[in-house]
Amino acid sequence: MSSLAEAVVALGYGVASALVPVVNAEAYAVVAGQRAGHALVAVVALALGQTAGKLLLFESARRGSGRLARTVAKREKSGRAAARAARWTEPIRRWLSRRRTALPTVLASAAVGVPPLAVVSLAAGTAGLRRWEFAVACLSGRVIRFALLLLPAVLA
């Protein structure tokens, strides 16, 4: 397969894996590492696809957060459920609303996978993180993650 075709496939696989949890981008990165000639192209394209997919989640959360807040305000939850939701959502939202803590959190999530990047993408969208900052941190972390995953396969 040519380098361009490999890039297109990796890009599409990255977008799919960002949106569909059972599609595993890490496995694709390891398999791409077996083809040492196109490994770098595959890593960058896969990371770009993942970032594009996570940006879709980010934007959907950003645009839907106002509607969600209005819906929740209309329908008051039971006291116990509201307390449980507030206990988890408010600290995460505060954490991601500060640039000093939000960007390292996104970068760590993209590179290590803890906390899950899908959850961080949604939370960052509702917390008001800048789109370009999220994209740069996400792309950087994904490139690091995929490069480290395929490095043993390339060196072998």
Side-chain angles (χ1 to χ4, degrees), residues 7-29 41-59 106 109-113 115-119 121-122 134-147 149:
V8 170
V9 169
L11 185 71
Y13 200 90
V15 172
S17 67
L19 301 174
V20 181
V22 295
V23 179
N24 194 330
E26 287 80 2
Y28 184 86
V41 171
V43 164
V44 173
L46 189 61
L48 282 169
Q50 276 263 306
T51 302
K54 297 306 180 188
L55 275 168
L56 287 172
L57 294 176
F58 176 87
E59 281 300 317
V106 173
S109 176
V112 180
L117 186 56
V119 173
S121 300
L122 293 170
F134 173 80
V136 168
C138 184
L139 180 63
S140 301
R142 289 278 110 177
V143 167
I144 291 167
R145 180 177 181 89
F146 297 142
L149 282 172

Side-chain angles (χ1 to χ4, degrees), residues 86-153:
R87 185 176 60 217
W88 287 103
T89 57
E90 279 309 308
I92 292 170
R93 189 177 162 101
R94 273 194 314 257
W95 184 264
L96 287 170
S97 65
R98 294 185 211 123
R99 289 177 61 209
R100 171 182 75 193
T101 54
L103 294 177
T105 302
V106 173
L107 182 65
S109 176
V112 180
V114 177
L117 186 56
V119 173
V120 170
S121 300
L122 293 170
T126 62
L129 188 64
R130 293 180 183 144
R131 181 183 306 112
W132 71 269
E133 291 176 335
F134 173 80
V136 168
C138 184
L139 180 63
S140 301
R142 289 278 110 177
V143 167
I144 291 167
R145 180 177 181 89
F146 297 142
L148 289 175
L149 282 172
L150 73 90
L151 188 62

